[in-house]
Amino acid sequence: MAAVDFPSSQHFIDGEWVAARDGGTLDIVDPATQQVITKVALSGRADVGDAVAAARRAFPAWAATSPSERGALIRRWGDLILADVEALAAVEARDVGKPLSGGRTNIYIAHDIVNYFAGAADKLTGVTLPTRSPDYLGYTVPEPYGVCAVVIPWNVPAVLMAANVAPALAAGNTVVLKPSEIAPLTPFALVELARRAGFPPGVLNVVAGGPEAGAALTSHPGVDHISFVGSTATGRAIMTAAAQNLVPVKLELGGKSPNVLFADADLDTAIEAVVASITENAGQNCYAGSRLLVEASVHDEVVERVAAAMAAIKTGPWDADLDMGPLVSAAQFARVSGFLQDAPREGARLVTGGAPTGDGWFVQPTVYDRVDAGMRVAREEVFGPVLAVQSFRDAVEATELMNATDFGLLACIWTNDVSRALRLAKDVRSGQVAVNQFHDAGVIGFPFNMQKDSGFSRGGGYGALREYTQEKGVAIRLLAR
């Protein structure tokens, strides 16, 4: 891991690794062993203020830098990420608890996102507007906001850092990033590579800390834009704080995504994807396929096959590189355990799993059948490897079940009937729809859109650069000479 080493017990402000002002540190724990890996600086309000001030100082010069030059710097950053994939994968996997192969996939995705916005930096344009006579000219100019606060969670830190920081920087903003205090190591490794790529001091700053640091950053009067990825409850609190400073906010929040499986689907392909969608990263993804809606005529077969595949999932620490790792923390373990206790009490039938397993914060991949739409396990985001199964008779009922949640992130439809798939894609209240696949494999620049309580964001897609700019309109009357 030497290639991506960074100093312990420090954070990154104004181009330098520095200790917290009060000397505070934060223990970073391996979820598989519950042992301390290392320490980082515990950022407080004063440290956040330093980072915002550094970003504010750096903004004018960075915004004035040629977009092509900004893009070249971002591409150099991407090249350094690609050169250290294995070391970065180990950092991400160990810190979050996911298998090494999962960490590797995340780093490759992060690299591709960084590269995408490196190429997009000098392609951000305004429009020329029609006028009522040749004596007038009207056009628009996209401009960066200024200092962008980016707050991300612990589940896929490399991907989320890339998806928010890269477009913000490409558009000419400067950034203060606060990763989760549970898993900040990959963002620190990535900012060290950004430093080596040659980003000017203050353009990208990374501070770690808990709720105090997050509140200090999102309420800071020197912040011009906020991007938050996390829980719906925290998202509402951030919007409240942002309102005091009239700061625009983009929110990427929770999900309760369904796999909708019709009897005519390719069951072999669908079942493999359903299991992967809820066990990848131990189900700790906002888009995890936590609901399985299956047509009644194949319900029993599908449940039996899904349960067998879930029971066969091998769990272990990151370096064993098995199918699934532990939950990320004691708090997350307690949360998921609460759902495992409540679901049977509410009447759900346990098919497989349902209990902790092994050392560390491991839980068994779990399937509950006969789930009612009113049960917690059907309504709330578990953020663990827990699958809730419901059955339907026809497309109308399937649509009702798809929409019977406060969330609207992703819906996956499995059918060989193209017309049915297109009708359901239109009727579901979801920001993203996948047909005969889970999520967006194979689509470049796919927007990570969302509706309802899942928030409002494009999360690294083709339109993300626009989210980090404000439009200025210019109207000119051409004088006779």
Side-chain angles (χ1 to χ4, degrees):
M1 177 180 137
V4 292
D5 270 351
F6 53 88
S8 66
S9 304
Q10 297 187 11
H11 47 207
F12 191 77
I13 297 176
D14 205 14
E16 296 183 354
W17 291 100
V18 294
R21 280 208 191 191
D22 64 2
T25 61
L26 183 66
D27 288 343
I28 307 302
V29 177
D30 182 334
T33 65
Q34 302 180 26
Q35 300 300 308
V36 174
I37 302 170
T38 188
K39 296 177 183 290
V40 297
L42 178 59
S43 309
R45 185 171 294 274
D47 303 295
V48 168
D50 291 343
V52 172
R56 175 64 58 201
R57 289 191 298 270
F59 170 66
W62 181 246
T65 299
S66 159
S68 296
E69 187 177 337
R70 291 200 299 266
L73 266 174
I74 295 169
R75 189 172 300 280
R76 279 205 291 277
W77 185 29
D79 291 344
L80 291 177
I81 293 170
L82 189 61
D84 270 325
V85 165
E86 291 304 316
L88 289 166
V91 174
E92 173 117 339
R94 187 181 188 193
D95 201 12
V96 178
K98 64 186 67 178
L100 179 60
S101 56
R104 185 181 298 117
T105 297
N106 292 163
I107 301 303
Y108 276 122
I109 293 172
H111 162 264
D112 290 350
I113 293 171
V114 168
N115 249 18
Y116 182 88
F117 289 108
D122 59 1
K123 298 168 185 67
L124 181 63
T125 61
V127 297
T128 302
L129 300 169
T131 58
R132 291 182 173 83
S133 82
D135 297 330
Y136 295 89
L137 173 66
Y139 62 92
T140 66
V141 182
E143 296 181 339
Y145 280 104
V147 176
C148 291
V150 176
V151 181
I152 62 172
W154 42 260
N155 56 334
V156 280
V159 173
L160 293 172
M161 178 176 179
N164 289 280
V165 169
L169 295 180
N173 301 281
T174 55
V175 172
V176 179
L177 170 70
K178 195 203 85 67
S180 168
E181 68 276 18
I182 295 173
L185 297 185
T186 310
F188 277 136
L190 290 175
V191 79
E192 168 60 17
L193 295 183
R195 184 191 67 80
R196 297 178 196 177
F199 282 92
V203 167
L204 176 56
N205 310 270
V206 180
V207 292
E212 179 189 353
L217 179 58
T218 54
S219 64
H220 198 291
V223 165
D224 302 299
H225 180 278
I226 298 169
S227 174
F228 172 75
V229 184
S231 73
T232 301
T234 305
R236 288 192 173 100
I238 284 174
M239 282 197 72
T240 299
Q244 304 307 307
N245 296 324
L246 295 178
V247 174
V249 179
K250 77 182 196 73
L251 301 175
E252 182 181 321
L253 307 175
K256 196 68 183 172
S257 301
N259 278 288
V260 186
L261 185 53
F262 286 87
D264 68 337
D266 178 343
L267 294 186
D268 292 340
T269 300
I271 288 169
E272 181 180 0
V274 166
V275 172
S277 76
I278 192 59
T279 57
E280 195 274 324
N281 203 22
Q284 298 171 120
N285 294 317
C286 58
Y287 59 80
S290 56
R291 292 190 294 151
L292 173 57
L293 314 181
V294 58
E295 192 167 3
S297 61
V298 292
H299 168 270
D300 292 350
E301 177 190 354
V302 168
V303 170
E304 181 180 349
R305 292 178 61 181
V306 167
M310 292 279 274
I313 293 291
K314 296 181 177 64
T315 61
W318 70 275
D319 50 352
D321 203 17
L322 300 176
D323 302 318
M324 194 179 88
L327 300 174
V328 75
S329 67
Q332 189 61 20
F333 180 80
R335 173 180 171 79
V336 174
S337 297
F339 280 93
L340 298 182
Q341 294 164 11
D342 286 350
R345 283 202 295 256
E346 292 184 338
R349 180 176 76 89
L350 176 64
V351 183
T352 188
T357 180
D359 298 325
W361 295 305
F362 292 91
V363 297
Q364 297 171 333
T366 298
V367 178
Y368 288 109
D369 194 12
R370 299 176 189 166
V371 172
D372 182 86
M375 296 178 184
R376 283 188 69 214
V377 74
R379 293 183 294 105
E380 298 181 25
E381 186 175 40
V382 179
F383 232 57
V386 180
L387 181 64
V389 182
Q390 299 169 271
S391 66
F392 62 85
R393 294 180 300 274
D394 52 31
V396 173
E397 188 176 9
T399 302
E400 291 174 353
L401 289 174
M402 280 195 295
N403 289 331
T405 171
D406 292 333
F407 297 105
L409 182 53
L410 170 66
C412 302
I413 301 164
W414 300 88
T415 179
N416 283 325
D417 186 329
V418 175
S419 295
R420 173 195 284 154
L422 291 174
R423 280 196 298 270
L424 263 69
K426 178 176 72 71
D427 293 340
V428 65
R429 292 192 61 198
S430 178
Q432 304 165 57
V433 178
V435 177
N436 293 330
Q437 64 174 338
F438 184 74
H439 206 218
D440 61 344
V443 180
I444 298 171
F446 191 80
F448 204 78
N449 295 336
M450 52 214 66
Q451 296 182 13
K452 299 163 57 176
D453 283 4
S454 291
F456 33 85
S457 168
R458 296 170 191 164
Y462 77 96
L465 219 59
R466 297 281 175 189
E467 290 186 295
Y468 286 100
T469 61
Q470 50 195 336
E471 186 177 66
K472 177 182 288 181
V474 180
I476 302 172
R477 180 183 178 191
L478 305 177
L479 301 177
R481 307 293 289 181

